[in-house]
């Protein structure tokens, strides 16, 4: 009998009264025997011999990898009883999109690894130009940043000697980056 209450096997033997009988424990996948592997009784009527087994727990580990098999994150081990099912959920990983099912359920038969695959989010070039409003010429070298898809991007206008930034251009931002973009910050030349 397993620790989960399951009867793993039953067998019957006929033995002459007064004789002894030795029963040997069986071997069952997912269970480990508790106690001796044999029991001997002297028969003086109907007897029941019971062997007790403990349900084995196996380690389950969830891995999160990119599509090339590079490990991004790994969860701590959990221990699940043999024959039971376990459901794992994919994580949200910064700069990556899930390229797999959001959940996976497996029936435990031994040490188990569950793997979720992810693809790297693309990056886009965000260029910031600093322009004289009147002449249209650049008054400071433009800057370019690579920003991941879906990320927020914002830039505060730097101070440039001899110029004042237009109030509406003090802060430029993109809520969710989805393409290469150029942001223009306009300035007016200060009166001499």
């Amino acid at each position: 009998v397993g620790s989960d209450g399951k009867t793993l096997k039953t067998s019957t033997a006929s033995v002459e009264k007064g004789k002894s009988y030795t029963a040997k424990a069986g071997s069952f996948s997912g269970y480990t025997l508790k106690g001796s592997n044999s029991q001997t009784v002297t028969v003086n009527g109907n007897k029941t011999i019971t062997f007790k087994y403990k349900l084995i727990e196996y380690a389950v580990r969830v891995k999160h990898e990119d599509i090339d098999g590079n490990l991004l994150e790994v969860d701590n081990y959990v221990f699940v009883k043999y024959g039971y099912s376990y459901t794992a959920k994919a994580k949200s990983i910064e700069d990556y999109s899930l390229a797999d099912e959001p959940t996976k359920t497996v029936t435990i038969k031994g040490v188990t690894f569950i793997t979720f695959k992810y693809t790297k989010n693309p990056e886009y070039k965000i260029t910031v130009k600093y322009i004289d409003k009147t002449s249209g010429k650049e008054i400071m070298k433009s800057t370019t940043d690579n920003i991941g898809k879906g990320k927020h991007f914002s830039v505060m206008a730097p101070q440039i000697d001899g110029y004042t930034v237009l109030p509406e251009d003090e802060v430029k931002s993109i809520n969710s980056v989805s393409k290469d973009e150029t942001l223009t910050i306009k300035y007016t030349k200060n009166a001499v």
Side-chain angles (χ1 to χ4, degrees):
V1 177
S3 58
D4 54 354
K6 184 176 179 183
T7 298
L8 305 173
K9 183 180 177 185
T10 301
S11 61
T12 305
S14 295
V15 180
E16 204 177 304
K17 187 174 182 179
K19 300 278 185 182
S20 65
Y21 175 77
T22 301
K24 300 222 181 268
S27 177
F28 303 97
S29 188
Y31 293 85
T32 183
L33 179 66
K34 289 166 56 176
S36 176
N37 65 353
S38 69
Q39 292 184 45
T40 303
V41 293
T42 301
V43 178
N44 56 8
N46 291 336
K47 294 271 187 188
T48 300
I49 299 173
T50 302
F51 290 98
K52 294 188 178 185
Y53 293 80
K54 181 180 176 192
L55 196 57
I56 297 174
E57 290 186 338
Y58 287 103
V60 178
R61 192 159 221 184
V62 180
K63 299 189 302 182
H64 308 272
E65 299 178 344
D66 69 14
I67 55 173
D68 297 322
N70 298 310
L71 189 63
L72 303 172
E73 278 192 38
V74 65
D75 296 352
N76 291 330
Y77 283 106
V78 293
F79 291 90
V80 181
K81 292 179 178 173
Y82 175 87
Y84 282 53
S85 64
Y86 179 78
T87 300
K89 293 180 182 176
K91 282 186 171 181
S92 177
I93 298 180
E94 190 173 351
D95 297 329
Y96 286 86
S97 294
L98 182 64
D100 219 329
E101 305 147 35
T103 61
K104 292 184 180 184
T105 301
V106 294
T107 300
I108 305 306
K109 300 288 185 194
V111 174
T112 304
F113 290 94
I114 300 170
T115 304
F116 289 98
K117 294 287 188 178
Y118 297 79
T119 54
K120 178 99 168 103
N121 292 339
E123 289 187 338
Y124 296 101
K125 290 188 184 319
I126 306 300
T127 302
V128 181
K129 291 188 173 188
Y130 309 93
I131 305 290
D132 179 311
K133 179 185 175 194
T134 307
S135 69
K137 292 183 179 177
E138 281 195 55
I139 54 175
M140 187 171 110
K141 187 177 179 194
S142 62
T143 58
T144 301
D145 290 298
N146 292 323
I147 306 297
K149 179 182 177 183
K151 294 274 189 172
H152 177 80
F153 176 82
S154 70
V155 60
M156 288 186 66
Q159 288 186 346
I160 299 175
D161 287 341
Y163 288 89
T164 301
V165 68
L166 297 179
E168 65 270 19
D169 285 354
E170 286 180 355
V171 177
K172 290 282 192 173
S173 65
I174 302 168
N175 284 334
S176 181
V177 172
S178 62
K179 61 184 179 183
D180 291 344
E181 287 193 52
T182 299
L183 302 177
T184 302
I185 299 177
K186 294 179 184 158
Y187 293 78
T188 54
K189 191 162 181 59
N190 297 338
V192 177

